[in-house]
Amino acid sequence: MLKFTKKEVIYLIIAFIVLSFCFAISTVGTDFYGILSILPLVMVGVGIGCISHETGHKFVAMKYGYQSEFILWPIGLLIAFISSFFGMVLAFPGEARIYADNISDEISGKIAIAGPMTNMALALIFIVIAALVYPLKFHSDIFNLIFFIGAVGFSVNSFLATFNLLPIYSLDGTKVLKWNIGIWIVVFAIALIMMLLSISIGAENMVKLFIGM
């Protein structure tokens, strides 16, 4: 059974709130009312993304008999906040620390890749939801809201997956690359394509292409 420590829950809540504001700021800029209007929608994608990311690490770690705990990095959150004013979010909220001696590169890599792959799966779920409700969004404010949540959720989780797979110290990509460069290349390429699609053509245009509208 997955268990989160009290300290870990507090860390996740802090990371969730700060990153939600960061993604809202990077989307609408410094418009205070714009931030407030988009924040609840962003929080859905970020909240589910952050919690699921860490749950992915924990689940695989538990499978191999290890304990995993999310450790907050305040400086990383500050970097994310500052970068959001430039239209991007350099998300360094913390790391999943594995409490084990002499853990192999393979197991470490599999635990690390579980987080980004969870975000990739969530991104696909969000875009599918957006595609399903797209024809209805023109006739109902509720479906329009669901569509927007799906679009934002796809963009946020695609970014979280791609960013965490970068081979930078403390990020998951470093451990995955150390374990298997081939797997890292494939997974990173897929995540990168998803993120670039969300940036270049946008979730709504992607949905239009999917459903042929």
Side-chain angles (χ1 to χ4, degrees), residues 4 63-64 79 93 104 106 144-145 161 164 166:
F4 290 88
K63 178 182 176 181
Y64 288 104
I79 293 173
S104 68
E106 179 181 359
N144 186 44
L145 180 63
N164 278 283
L166 290 173

Side-chain angles (χ1 to χ4, degrees), residues 7 16 20 30 49 55 78 85 98 103 111 121 123 141 165 187:
K7 180 176 69 174
F16 157 61
S20 294
T30 56
T55 300
L78 180 60
F85 289 94
I98 310 299
I103 186 171
I111 293 173
D141 290 339
L165 282 169
V187 177

Side-chain angles (χ1 to χ4, degrees), residues 105-123:
D105 290 341
E106 179 181 359
I107 294 177
S108 178
K110 288 180 178 178
I111 293 173
I113 203 173
M117 289 193 70
T118 301
N119 288 126
M120 292 167 67
L122 281 173

Side-chain angles (χ1 to χ4, degrees), residues 44 50 58 79 98 118 120 125 133-134 154 165 170 209:
V44 175
C50 287
K58 276 184 169 291
I79 293 173
I98 310 299
T118 301
M120 292 167 67
I125 292 173
V133 303
Y134 184 76
F154 171 76
L165 282 169
S170 85
L209 289 175

Side-chain angles (χ1 to χ4, degrees), residues 37-50:
S37 63
I38 197 176
L39 184 61
L41 307 180
V42 172
M43 291 178 83
V44 175
V46 174
I48 295 176
C50 287

